[in-house]
Amino acid sequence: MGKVAFITGILGQDGAYLAEFLLGKGYEVHGLVRWDSGLCSYEYYSRLYSLDLIDRITLHEGDMIDANSLNHIIKNIQPDEIYNLAALSHVKVSFETPSSALQINTVGTLNVLESIRILGLEDKVKLYQASSSEMFGSAPMPQNENTAMQPCSPYGVAKLAAYHLACVYRRSYGIFISNGILFNHESPLRGGDFVTHKVTRGVAEISKGRCDPIRLGNLDSVRDWGAAQDYVRGMWMILQHSEADDFVLATGRSRSVRDFVSASFKVIGRQIEWKYEGINEKGIDSQTGEVLVVVDPEFFRPIELEYLLGDPTKAKDILSWSAQISFDQLVQDMVMADIELLSIEKNNAVGRSYAQ
Ligand code: GDD
């Protein structure tokens, strides 16, 4: 019999790819979904449909901040491995709804930890805690497992508190709990309000005739961007290690938002020239002079975390994990997937208008 895995946050990018990965390893996969008025809609499950997972997994309705619901679900499933991915994951949103960030990301994690204890599963369950490079905040780079953390956002603080809780429960109760400290990881399934997908969607639309420019916040921001498919494999490898431990997963290379934009336009054969400075900076097509990117202060954050660069040496040495998908491949995959999606959306719209 295969192992049983429970994934909180299964509807997100990482949850969907992880479910696919674990099914490929013979796992029985269960996932947590929160009640929402869109619960019956296709959109709510779109990532699971797009990877053809919906009939191969079991979904359970519950809530990270409702401890009773988690206890019931975990008691019924009796999982071997729990992957705690559920989060309010948008950093800028966490400035607008800081209490929710703390409730979902910290208290939610605490509820999972307590469930394991209340149900007496300390010796049975292994827990993967989705920690984040955002916890490093303004710490000097490159950042690794020994770097002192200085979070710069309510999201970072909430994730850091959850990270410490995970460590405390590991030490206090001997539960197999490992933190994966993941740097930014992207894919065609990335939410549209994260910068990478916002850019690749914009580039795809421009390739199909959109006239208005892409509006972005801080172009100087630098991130260590990898591909989500590599990182979910890393999550699994972290839990297969002989002992519970914490690991940074990163590519070890970082680029600015500006670099990501230029690389994305290159996929559709357009070269960007950057002109002017500060909020007047513009990304201009070097051949046609068309303004393709502008800065919009609406997308600035109260504090900006400028520079993240991960050092994945420990994961490489101990787990033999490394990122396989290159930056250029990632950008290419995301732009091409968005171009394809736009064609499908257009065809569906034509189909609908004929049907009416
Ligand atoms: N979202 C967004 N939208 N970000 C922008 C924009 C914009 O229009 N313009 C510039 N940026 C900058 C942000 O200010 C940030 O510095 C950078 O692009 C990346 O932003 P996001 O893609 O929103 O990701 P993030 O780094 O804040 O957080 C992601 O990575 C973390 C790992 O470090 C999220 O996935 C977190 O959940 C994750 O923990």
Side-chain angles (χ1 to χ4, degrees), residues 89-91 132-134 155 182-184 190 193-196 198 215-218 221 223 225 257 299 301 304-305 308:
S89 62
H90 200 286
V91 174
S132 162
S133 55
E134 185 72 19
Y155 171 83
L182 270 51
F183 282 66
N184 298 49
R190 186 58 144 152
D193 48 2
F194 294 94
V195 75
T196 54
K198 183 174 169 183
R215 314 187 79 80
L216 295 174
N218 185 2
S221 185
R223 290 291 183 274
W225 276 299
V257 170
F299 302 106
R301 295 168 184 190
E304 182 56 70
L305 197 174
L308 283 177

Side-chain angles (χ1 to χ4, degrees), residues 31-57:
L32 177 73
V33 292
R34 187 168 32 127
W35 183 87
D36 182 280
S37 54
L39 206 55
C40 296
S41 69
Y42 172 87
E43 283 70 28
Y44 200 69
Y45 304 98
S46 61
R47 294 185 177 93
L48 301 181
Y49 278 114
S50 73
L51 297 180
D52 201 15
L53 300 174
I54 202 88
D55 296 327
R56 301 160 64 206
I57 58 179

Side-chain angles (χ1 to χ4, degrees), residues 86-285:
L88 188 160
S89 62
H90 200 286
V91 174
K92 182 163 187 284
V93 172
S94 81
F95 282 99
E96 284 138 29
T97 57
S99 298
S100 297
L102 269 289
Q103 282 291 323
I104 298 166
N105 300 355
T106 311
V107 178
T109 301
L110 181 63
N111 288 339
V112 174
L113 293 166
E114 274 298 294
S115 259
I116 294 172
R117 259 171 33 86
I118 289 165
L119 298 171
L121 298 175
E122 293 96 327
D123 296 330
K124 173 178 164 59
V125 171
K126 290 181 177 183
L127 174 67
Y128 171 88
Q129 170 58 18
S131 288
S132 162
S133 55
E134 185 72 19
M135 302 185 317
F136 290 118
S138 52
M141 49 92 191
Q143 293 106 1
N144 66 24
E145 297 79 1
N146 300 318
T147 303
M149 305 200 187
Q150 301 168 16
C152 291
S153 62
Y155 171 83
V157 170
K159 278 288 181 183
L160 184 54
Y163 163 88
H164 283 303
L165 283 168
C167 295
V168 166
Y169 273 62
R170 176 169 69 209
R171 285 203 306 273
S172 306
Y173 306 115
I175 307 171
F176 192 113
I177 302 171
S178 296
N179 284 286
I181 308 170
L182 270 51
F183 282 66
N184 298 49
H185 44 285
E186 319 294 311
S187 75
L189 298 188
R190 186 58 144 152
D193 48 2
F194 294 94
V195 75
T196 54
H197 201 183
K198 183 174 169 183
V199 169
T200 60
R201 172 81 188 191
V203 168
E205 286 171 356
I206 286 170
S207 80
K208 300 272 183 192
R210 165 176 159 178
C211 296
D212 57 316
I214 304 171
R215 314 187 79 80
L216 295 174
N218 185 2
L219 299 171
D220 290 322
S221 185
V222 171
R223 290 291 183 274
D224 180 332
W225 276 299
Q229 297 92 325
D230 279 334
Y231 288 58
V232 300
R233 176 169 44 82
M235 293 176 188
W236 176 77
M237 291 172 85
I238 286 173
L239 281 198
Q240 308 320 303
H241 184 48
S242 53
E243 54 194 68
D245 202 349
D246 304 326
F247 293 92
V248 160
L249 300 186
T251 71
R253 287 199 62 188
S254 52
R255 275 111 175 154
S256 67
V257 170
R258 201 179 282 105
D259 294 337
F260 191 94
V261 173
S262 296
S264 301
F265 275 106
K266 195 168 159 216
V267 175
I268 61 163
R270 298 183 79 164
Q271 198 188 335
I272 297 285
E273 200 177 324
W274 296 96
K275 282 198 176 157
Y276 316 116
E277 284 183 8
I279 60 165
N280 296 317
E281 184 166 357
K282 294 188 176 22
I284 295 173
D285 185 308

